[in-house]
Amino acid sequence: DTAVSQTPKYLVTQMGNDKSIKCEQNLGHDTMYWYKQDSKKFLKIMFSYNNKELIINETVPNRFSPKSPDKAHLNLHINSLELGDSAVYFCASSQKGTLNYGYTFGSGTRLTVV
Amino acid sequence: AQTVTQSQPEMSVQEAETVTLSCTYDTSESDYYLFWYKQPPSRQMILVIRQEAYKQQNATENRFSVNFQKAAKSFSLKISDSQLGDAAMYFCAYRSGGGADGLTFGKGTHLIIQP
């Protein structure tokens, strides 16, 4: 069983479109995250979220929004896609207050905006 | 805000040799955790090793060990007996203690293993 699964693995779309990336974890973790890895491989956190608190990195455009239907899911919605949104997006999870055995990462979604 | 610096964009080592990847960080916190992640071409993020700041003993995991110098805010990764499968991007990362904070990553070091 995959611990953190993301779909789709690849996504090619046109500028201006709205798209979603789904993430599910079966580890029972209470906190989930979205990271963006740019073309230079730099990883930066976008959001951290548990059922009580959403922490947004202030540099993230408001076109990006996380949506969590339940504790095991954190989807990423992106409106009005721009060329600069092309990147690999990683979902991850952890259990708040415990030592990291990690952060468990999904396998990433490569988003290409054309 | 915390920052993590990896000053070596790329390193190369002969198979079976030892290589050390550098990482420094800046923080005003006393409670935190440090990590090294490996990202092979498959792009999967794989935890290599972690270190709790309150522990003086350096962490080791088989061929991987760290040199944690808390006063100097340095956290280097040593890979012994390098293998072809070690070729990957390596990221140093920082996490504040206790919270739901995410990881702050360095920019990564691309490790090449020469056969």
Side-chain angles (χ1 to χ4, degrees):
Chain A
D1 285 344
T2 303
V4 179
S5 61
Q6 295 179 229
T7 54
K9 293 192 185 307
Y10 299 92
L11 181 56
V12 181
T13 187
Q14 290 187 326
M15 285 175 55
N17 284 350
D18 302 338
K19 290 293 179 184
S20 295
I21 305 172
K22 296 184 177 180
C23 179
E24 176 182 5
Q25 55 98 1
N26 62 7
L27 299 167
H29 288 167
D30 64 1
T31 305
M32 297 182 73
Y33 310 83
W34 279 103
Y35 290 83
K36 178 181 180 180
Q37 186 173 40
D38 64 23
S39 59
K40 295 183 179 179
K41 302 286 189 182
F42 183 51
L43 277 150
K44 193 169 184 180
I45 188 165
M46 302 175 70
F47 306 100
S48 67
Y49 183 83
N50 64 23
N51 57 7
K52 298 176 184 176
E53 187 178 21
L54 171 65
I55 300 174
I56 303 171
N57 185 317
E58 61 186 12
T59 66
V60 176
N62 57 15
R63 298 181 295 103
F64 290 78
S65 58
K67 294 212 176 5
S68 180
D70 56 57
K71 187 176 167 181
H73 296 82
L74 183 66
N75 304 324
L76 182 65
H77 295 270
I78 315 170
N79 295 325
S80 303
L81 277 155
E82 301 177 356
L83 293 176
D85 298 332
S86 295
V88 178
Y89 292 85
F90 285 94
C91 178
S93 71
S94 72
Q95 183 67 25
K96 181 179 178 179
T98 64
L99 250 193
N100 170 9
Y101 290 102
Y103 298 90
T104 303
F105 283 82
S107 57
T109 296
R110 181 177 292 281
L111 171 65
T112 303
V113 182
V114 297
Chain B
Q2 296 80 26
T3 59
V4 178
T5 302
Q6 293 178 249
S7 58
Q8 305 153 316
E10 187 171 279
M11 292 283 285
S12 181
V13 64
Q14 290 289 129
E15 196 175 1
E17 297 295 309
T18 295
V19 64
T20 298
L21 307 185
S22 300
C23 174
T24 59
Y25 58 95
D26 188 24
T27 184
S28 59
E29 299 175 333
S30 58
D31 181 22
Y32 53 88
Y33 304 95
L34 297 165
F35 309 89
W36 280 97
Y37 278 87
K38 170 185 178 181
Q39 187 180 40
S42 67
R43 79 171 182 239
Q44 183 67 48
M45 295 292 290
I46 302 166
L47 177 65
V48 175
I49 199 166
R50 73 178 192 280
Q51 175 81 41
E52 297 89 332
Y54 62 85
K55 288 188 176 179
Q56 292 185 336
Q57 186 174 7
N58 289 325
T60 62
E61 288 287 342
N62 300 313
R63 298 183 294 108
F64 299 86
S65 62
V66 297
N67 183 2
F68 175 46
Q69 301 291 327
K70 191 172 183 178
K73 296 180 182 174
S74 171
F75 183 61
S76 61
L77 175 70
K78 185 172 83 171
I79 306 174
S80 304
D81 186 25
S82 298
Q83 300 176 0
L84 294 178
D86 296 333
M89 285 291 291
Y90 286 81
F91 294 95
C92 181
Y94 172 105
R95 193 201 104 175
S96 296
D101 296 350
L103 296 165
T104 299
F105 285 93
K107 291 189 175 182
T109 296
H110 181 211
L111 179 62
I112 298 167
I113 310 294
Q114 304 281 3

